[in-house]
């Protein structure tokens, strides 16, 4: 493949960084130890050498993401079109065709994972002349490494509308876009959120998931598909789409939201387990999960375990519940009576 001058510079910088990652993540250093402690919440039996290697790959992936964002920022519309045709391949083309051709609206969910900038641009290129891609996201300052994405996504000149979620009318805008039959992209993996949440299983813990993605999908009867931008060697990215999620509706919106959110998080967990190094939250996830309820296998729960599973649903109303349940568990382990 023939490369442009700027692409050759990108590749040279990438190879230099691959040769010297130890300067940032020195084996046994503070950053590497913190990283290893974190990911043991996800992979408790991972050997120390594999933890270090995953730490190195994560560092390289995050560097490539920032470098690629800067590279795309220097391209005009025609250069961006060429880049997307040459360097982005699609795995699950039939699902991308469904996104473009379905009469129903579509919710595309993804974790904070991989090259999301490339994901959004490829979506706009692939379907933007047929359907508008609405990006539901946190606004970032232009000084942020991933900032000013609205300007970048709009550079192609078609098929894109931003919906900053700090706007009081953001949810209504998202619902209206879907009811027009358009596409909404959203990242539901911001753990530690407050407000309207659904508690769902994720890496063996019960975690709070933002309710927006499942609410928007259910209210609009949207097709729901997972999408992941997976960095490859050099400038290449694979856009990986999952099969549409299907749930059996109960007629109770809260139950259905939890069911759909659980399905989304299962899909995201599968991809993160497949290639964890591309997940932005990997270094911090251990601390986040440590504050959530660990799930036991269903057969091992017992009545007390089942009650503890439900505790996060009631923590705001009954702050002392978790402490009380912990005391009950200690008494049970000691072989004493519960009361």
């Amino acid at each position: 493949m023939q490369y442009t001058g700027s692409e050759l510079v990108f590749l040279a910088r990438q190879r230099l960084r691959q040769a010297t990652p130890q300067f940032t993540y020195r084996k046994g250093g503070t950053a590497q130890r913190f990283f290893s402690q974190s990911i043991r919440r996800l992979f408790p039996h991972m050997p120390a050498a594999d933890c270090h290697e995953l730490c190195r790959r994560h560092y390289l992936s995050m560097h490539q993401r920032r470098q690629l964002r800067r590279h795309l920022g220097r391209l005009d519309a025609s250069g961006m079109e060429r880049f997307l045709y040459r360097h982005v391949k699609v795995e699950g083309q039939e699902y991308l065709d469904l996104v473009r051709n379905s009469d129903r609206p579509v919710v595309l969910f993804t974790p904070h994972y991989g090259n999301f900038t490339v994901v959004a641009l490829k979506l706009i290129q692939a379907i933007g002349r047929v359907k508008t891609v609405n990006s539901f996201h946190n606004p970032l300052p232009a000084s942020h490494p991933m900032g000013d994405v609205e300007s970048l996504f709009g550079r192609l000149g078609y098929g894109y509308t931003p919906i900053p979620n700090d706007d009081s009318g953001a949810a209504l805008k998202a619902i209206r876009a879907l009811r027009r039959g358009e596409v909404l992209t959203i990242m539901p993996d911001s753990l530690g959120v407050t407000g309207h949440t659904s508690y769902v299983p994720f890496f063996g813990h019960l975690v709070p998931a933002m309710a927006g993605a499942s609410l928007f999908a259910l209210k609009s009867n949207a097709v729901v598909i997972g999408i992941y931008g997976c960095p490859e060697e050099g400038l290449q990215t694979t856009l990986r789409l999952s099969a549409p999620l299907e749930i059996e509706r109960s007629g109770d919106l809260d139950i259905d939201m939890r069911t759909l959110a659980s399905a989304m998080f299962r899909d995201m967990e599968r991809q993160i387990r497949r290639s964890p190094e591309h997940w932005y939250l990997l270094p911090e996830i251990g601390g986040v999960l440590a504050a959530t309820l660990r799930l036991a296998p269903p057969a091992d729960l017992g009545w007390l375990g089942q009650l503890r599973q439900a505790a996060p649903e009631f923590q705001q109303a009954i702050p002392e519940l978790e402490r009380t349940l912990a005391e009950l568990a200690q008494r049970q382990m000691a072989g004493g009576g519960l009361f």
Side-chain angles (χ1 to χ4, degrees), residues 194-195 199 311-319:
T194 58
Y199 284 87
E313 299 280 4
F314 307 103
Q315 278 180 341
Q316 288 184 345
I318 315 173

Side-chain angles (χ1 to χ4, degrees), residues 76-92:
D76 59 14
S78 60
M80 203 174 284
E81 295 272 12
R82 287 194 299 273
F83 177 92
L84 295 170
Y85 280 123
R86 284 157 46 92
H87 299 299
V88 183
K89 64 180 181 179
V90 176
E91 184 178 300

Side-chain angles (χ1 to χ4, degrees), residues 21 25 27 31-32 35-44 46-62 113 203 271-279 282-283 285:
Y25 278 119
K27 189 172 184 178
Q32 199 274 329
F35 182 94
S36 296
Q37 291 168 2
S38 179
I39 64 172
R40 286 192 185 284
R41 287 274 173 182
L42 305 185
F43 310 111
M46 181 177 285
D50 292 349
C51 282
H52 176 67
E53 173 60 18
L54 178 55
C55 180
R56 185 187 72 84
R57 296 202 313 269
H58 174 76
Y59 165 71
L60 292 174
S61 178
M62 295 302 101
Y113 185 90
F203 282 99
Q271 178 57 41
I272 292 168
R273 286 187 180 278
R274 179 175 179 176
S275 299
E277 64 269 26
H278 305 311
W279 193 29
L282 198 58
I285 191 60

Side-chain angles (χ1 to χ4, degrees), residues 104-107 175 178-179 184 198 211-224 245-262 264:
R104 292 168 59 189
V106 180
V107 170
I175 291 289
L178 289 168
R179 286 179 174 170
L184 183 74
S198 296
S214 52
L215 175 64
F216 297 152
L218 292 167
K219 285 288 189 181
S220 62
N221 192 33
V223 178
V224 181
L245 300 182
E246 300 287 347
I247 68 165
E248 183 175 348
R249 294 206 188 191
S250 69
D252 184 309
L253 181 60
D254 284 338
I255 292 175
D256 291 343
M257 285 171 57
R258 190 174 299 115
T259 301
L260 183 55
S262 296
M264 291 181 186

